[in-house]
Amino acid sequence: MQFQQLAYFVAVAEARHFTQAAERMRVAQPSLSKQIKALEADLGAPLFSRARGNVTLTAAGEALLPLARRILADADTARQEVAELAGLRRGRVRLGATPSLCAGLLADALARFHRAYPGIELLVEEGGSRDLIRALARGQLDLSLIIMPLQSDDPSLVTEEILRENLVVVSPSHAQIKGPYVRIEDLRGRAMVMFRRGYDVREATLAACRQAGFEPRFAVQGGEMDAVLRFVEAGLGVAVVPSMVLDGRPGLLGTPLAPPGLSRTIALAHRKDVEPTRAAQAFRETLLSFVLEADHEGTLPQGVELIAQAGHESTLPQRTEIIAE
């Protein structure tokens, strides 16, 4: 079994077409097919069903695909790690983050890291925590900022809880909001703007409304973070959003939910079975020092607080493990 054969196998599995896969890998189609047949002979089982021109994975192919992706990703990480032995003058960090974090404090942390390590390439993937966990499992990310709690299935994760953030009800700044708080019950029958499926805040909002005994009424749903905020600004309805996304948006008003309210925990995660590269470790240290300094200086976004180790005020967060069930 060769890395090249696995790369060809993954290309065909994703394209479901031998010619398109060959073009993607920049190799002649007969050479690609020959390597796939050699891999099938080595494994002792067909990987693709080629009936009537349709290319589908066999049961053996379905079993091999996640393993092949992980092997190729780990090999790429190994190459990156060896290249970094000369120092952090070059390398790459593949970081996942939720849309609210990309729109919030992450940009400043990335800027600090880039100034310190200008030769390190930064690749950021934006998505919901569940999508980011899957990308970590496939070896497509080195680190990811995710929302806790979250059950992981493959692989086990090491997480560091960093920040706790309040969720607020956002409305146009000119809207009349009575009192310092909004109760979940106050959203009954009120037009709401809702995120697309896959957003953690969507699930938290739906769960809170249902616990209060009602289903929310959607004026519009399916948006990403920026779209939801623009829809609210346009007067289509209110939304429950993370507090940090309101920084720099004077057209919006965030009202806290009545105690105990809703909050979420932001954690930094990586695969337990793969040690982060030196570049990824350097980014982790940069991010943690950034949030620690912001906490000391009182510049964390409103509604956001640092999670400190028990008994050690304002220290770096504690490492915990999520073991796959």
Side-chain angles (χ1 to χ4, degrees), residues 197-240:
R197 287 178 172 82
Y199 266 65
D200 305 277
V201 69
R202 174 192 175 99
E203 303 308 319
T205 303
L206 290 175
C209 291
R210 288 166 181 166
Q211 187 174 4
F214 69 95
E215 289 289 326
R217 181 170 71 86
F218 300 142
V220 58
Q221 61 173 318
E224 303 285 349
M225 180 61 68
D226 189 63
V228 165
L229 296 177
R230 290 288 297 123
F231 293 157
V232 172
E233 208 167 22
L236 285 168
V238 300
V240 175

Side-chain angles (χ1 to χ4, degrees), residues 3 69-81 92:
F3 285 120
R69 282 173 169 157
R70 187 177 302 175
I71 290 169
L72 293 171
D74 289 348
D76 190 38
T77 298
R79 283 191 290 268
Q80 290 286 331
E81 185 70 10
R92 177 191 66 186

Side-chain angles (χ1 to χ4, degrees), residues 114-289:
H114 181 67
R115 288 193 296 269
Y117 306 102
I120 304 296
E121 181 183 12
L122 290 167
L123 302 174
V124 179
E125 179 171 334
E126 187 176 2
S129 289
R130 290 166 180 80
D131 294 335
L132 297 175
I133 289 296
R134 283 192 287 270
L136 277 174
R138 293 170 182 164
Q140 296 168 342
L141 295 175
D142 301 307
L143 300 169
S144 186
L145 286 161
I146 61 172
I147 306 303
M148 302 285 285
L150 184 69
Q151 296 297 322
S152 66
D153 48 10
D154 182 26
S156 299
L157 299 176
V158 176
T159 68
E160 297 176 88
E161 295 185 354
I162 300 173
L163 300 168
R164 185 172 293 108
E165 179 181 22
N166 292 329
L167 301 182
V168 299
V169 176
V170 64
S171 58
S173 56
H174 56 78
Q176 295 296 319
I177 300 292
K178 297 179 180 179
Y181 300 106
V182 173
R183 300 177 306 157
I184 284 292
E185 291 82 357
D186 296 334
L187 301 179
R188 187 192 301 267
R190 188 160 187 175
M192 294 187 66
V193 178
M194 183 56 70
F195 296 96
R196 66 167 173 82
R197 287 178 172 82
Y199 266 65
D200 305 277
V201 69
R202 174 192 175 99
E203 303 308 319
T205 303
L206 290 175
C209 291
R210 288 166 181 166
Q211 187 174 4
F214 69 95
E215 289 289 326
R217 181 170 71 86
F218 300 142
V220 58
Q221 61 173 318
E224 303 285 349
M225 180 61 68
D226 189 63
V228 165
L229 296 177
R230 290 288 297 123
F231 293 157
V232 172
E233 208 167 22
L236 285 168
V238 300
V240 175
V241 302
S243 59
M244 75 170 65
V245 302
L246 300 183
D247 273 12
R249 290 185 178 266
L252 295 172
L253 172 67
T255 305
L257 285 158
L262 294 176
S263 65
R264 63 182 196 164
T265 298
I266 299 164
L268 186 64
H270 68 82
R271 280 172 52 183
K272 184 184 178 185
D273 59 342
V274 177
E275 187 69 19
T277 64
R278 290 183 62 206
Q281 291 174 24
F283 177 79
R284 169 190 172 271
E285 295 301 326
T286 300
L287 175 65
L288 296 182
S289 65

